[in-house]
Amino acid sequence: MNFTKKTFYGIGIVSAALNAVGGVLLIFGMRMSLLFNLATIAAGAMMLLLATVQETPQKDRNICLAASLLTVIGLMQGAVGAVCAAVSWPVFAWPYFKASAPESLLRKMASLILVCGAVLLIGSFLPLPQMLAACIIVAIAAVQGVFVWLLFHEQAEK
């Protein structure tokens, strides 16, 4: 079995889908913490596995490793966990933001990931109604899913 970046981005798509399902269930009043934890673990695994790809420049591998570490720390309760969870995806998206063409869809989605990180960071410290929080979760999961799908599709074309 051959594991490639495409395989790892597939894990990221699953992570985003789990977050979206968890958000939709939260809209209907069902909090499924296990789904969110599995999504976080899958995202961290994707980032960690991408850090092992030898063809990737060392700087980008270090950023993937840092994003993976932030994702794992994001599972902790409290302010440290909230901050790490909010910045893990923006840290992961930063190299793609810098490397892609200004007009490309990948760069636009990477910039949306950065905005979503700011929204998540601010929302982590505000008392939001459950319905609004759930809608934010679904929107962020959609952005993450499209971003990783674009990365997946880019690898499929190579």
Side-chain angles (χ1 to χ4, degrees):
M1 186 167 214
N2 190 15
F3 293 106
T4 63
K5 281 185 169 184
K6 187 175 152 186
T7 309
F8 305 147
Y9 292 138
I11 295 170
I13 292 169
V14 170
S15 168
L18 288 172
N19 268 330
V21 168
V24 169
L25 289 173
L26 192 58
I27 289 173
F28 293 108
M30 295 179 279
R31 174 129 176 96
M32 302 295 255
S33 297
L34 180 62
L35 280 178
F36 293 118
N37 287 339
L38 289 174
T40 302
I41 291 167
M46 173 196 67
M47 295 170 191
L48 183 62
L49 291 168
L50 285 168
T52 65
V53 176
Q54 294 298 323
E55 297 84 37
T56 306
Q58 185 63 38
K59 183 179 178 184
D60 292 347
R61 290 171 48 199
N62 290 342
I63 289 173
C64 283
L65 185 61
S68 177
L69 182 62
L70 288 169
T71 302
V72 171
I73 295 171
L75 288 169
M76 293 175 32
Q77 297 293 321
V80 173
V83 170
C84 289
V87 300
S88 64
W89 274 90
V91 167
F92 173 71
W94 182 249
Y96 301 101
F97 176 79
K98 286 178 55 178
S100 55
E103 299 83 26
S104 72
L105 185 56
L106 183 61
R107 184 175 182 129
K108 292 174 185 174
M109 292 310 296
S111 63
L112 276 176
I113 292 283
L114 300 175
V115 170
C116 287
V119 168
L120 191 57
L121 183 61
I122 293 167
S124 297
F125 296 104
L126 295 177
L128 298 175
Q130 180 175 325
M131 183 67 74
L132 178 59
C135 290
I136 290 171
I137 290 169
V138 171
I140 290 173
V143 170
Q144 290 171 347
V146 171
F147 176 68
V148 179
W149 181 82
L150 287 171
L151 294 172
F152 178 88
H153 188 64
E154 183 179 272
Q155 283 300 310
E157 291 176 352
K158 288 185 178 180

